[in-house]
């Protein structure tokens, strides 16, 4: 745990290349606006997800790192995360993996139901990482909750993540997305 606490402080001082991890998330999210081919989309989603996992690790139970990231470049991480979650909500419908989890009877040919199955998996992983970071930044943190609540359409996106998105996910992923999203946005009820 101590290694995670120091990681953000070290990355602040030395930087990770020219960009901080939060800047890398923003850059990845900006690429989600362009209409890229599936391989590029997967690479962008996985890049964002890896950075978000690092940020999730360094913010869990660490108010100092949470405050730093909420303040950094006028809440850039929260703004980027909200934008990424909206993109993931859209992509999850387009790259639906729900039917990939159905049982195919023995000796029947398997028709590839979802050409974007690997894209769907990348979207799901990124979505969980986004929600994890937002959960850490909002849990018992009024400032993080306020900044997150100020993001355009985030509440409707969160509601869709609880009520609509799970039907596009494999059965075993539905509960996790509902619970994580509900916990992240519980302060709005």
């Amino acid at each position: 745990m101590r290694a995670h606490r120091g990681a953000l402080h070290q990355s602040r001082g030395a930087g990770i290349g020219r960009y901080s991890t939060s800047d890398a998330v923003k850059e990845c999210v900006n690429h989600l606006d362009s209409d890229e081919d599936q391989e590029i989309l997967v690479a962008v989603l996985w890049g964002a997800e890896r950075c978000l996992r690092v940020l999730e690790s360094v913010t869990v139970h660490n108010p100092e790192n949470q405050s730093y990231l909420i303040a950094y470049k006028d809440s850039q991480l929260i703004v980027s995360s909200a934008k990424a979650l909206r993109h993931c909500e859209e992509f999850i419908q387009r790259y639906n993996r729900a039917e990939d989890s159905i049982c195919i009877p023995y000796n029947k040919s398997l028709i590839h139901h979802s050409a974007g199955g690997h894209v769907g998996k990348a979207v799901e992983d990124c979505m969980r990482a986004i929600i994890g970071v937002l959960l850490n930044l909002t849990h018992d943190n009024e400032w993080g909750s306020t900044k997150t609540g100020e993001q355009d359409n985030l509440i409707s996106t969160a509601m869709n993540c609880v009520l609509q998105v799970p039907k596009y996910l494999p059965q075993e992923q539905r509960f996790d997305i509902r619970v994580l999203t509900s916990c992240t946005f519980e302060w709005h009820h």
Side-chain angles (χ1 to χ4, degrees):
M1 187 64 85
R2 283 200 191 284
H4 289 299
R5 289 185 181 145
L8 184 60
H9 296 288
Q10 290 170 2
S11 69
R12 269 194 273 171
I16 300 173
R18 285 183 35 207
Y19 305 100
S20 77
T21 309
S22 182
D23 292 328
V25 170
K26 180 184 178 193
E27 188 174 308
C28 288
V29 171
N30 287 341
H31 285 289
L32 295 177
D33 287 330
S34 58
D35 194 20
E36 302 285 349
D37 71 15
Q38 289 185 4
E39 294 303 317
I40 293 172
L41 180 58
V42 169
V44 168
L45 287 165
W46 280 343
E49 187 246 350
R50 281 190 302 274
C51 292
L52 287 161
R53 292 288 177 204
V54 168
L55 294 170
E56 183 180 12
S57 293
V58 300
T59 55
V60 68
H61 305 299
N62 191 320
E64 187 177 343
N65 285 347
Q66 292 166 6
S67 293
Y68 175 79
L69 287 169
I70 294 165
Y72 183 72
K73 292 188 179 179
D74 197 26
S75 303
Q76 173 181 285
L77 179 60
I78 292 173
V79 172
S80 296
S81 295
K83 185 176 178 183
L85 192 60
R86 285 191 297 274
H87 281 294
C88 287
E89 177 198 7
E90 173 195 330
F91 292 151
I92 207 78
Q93 295 174 42
R94 187 179 320 160
Y95 301 108
N96 181 352
R97 284 192 340 127
E99 65 270 358
D100 288 347
S101 63
I102 63 171
C103 295
I104 306 294
Y106 184 69
N107 285 337
K108 297 284 183 181
S109 63
L110 178 62
I111 298 170
H112 197 322
H113 295 284
S114 175
H118 65 290
V119 180
K121 173 74 170 117
V123 172
E124 293 165 24
D125 292 346
C126 190
M127 181 178 274
R128 275 193 300 279
I130 293 163
I131 294 168
V133 167
L134 290 175
L135 178 60
N136 288 349
L137 295 178
T138 59
H139 181 72
D140 288 336
N141 190 320
E142 186 177 342
W143 187 30
S145 296
T146 300
K147 287 295 189 180
T148 301
E150 291 172 355
Q151 302 311 303
D152 291 337
N153 300 315
L154 187 58
I155 301 305
S156 63
T157 299
M159 291 302 295
N160 284 336
C161 287
V162 172
L163 301 173
Q164 299 299 319
V165 166
K167 69 183 175 187
Y168 300 107
L169 300 174
Q171 184 68 36
E172 66 275 6
Q173 302 295 324
R174 294 174 184 179
F175 179 78
D176 291 348
I177 289 294
R178 282 187 174 124
V179 170
L180 285 171
T181 305
S182 295
C183 289
T184 302
F185 296 99
E186 72 179 312
W187 48 266
H188 285 288
H189 300 304

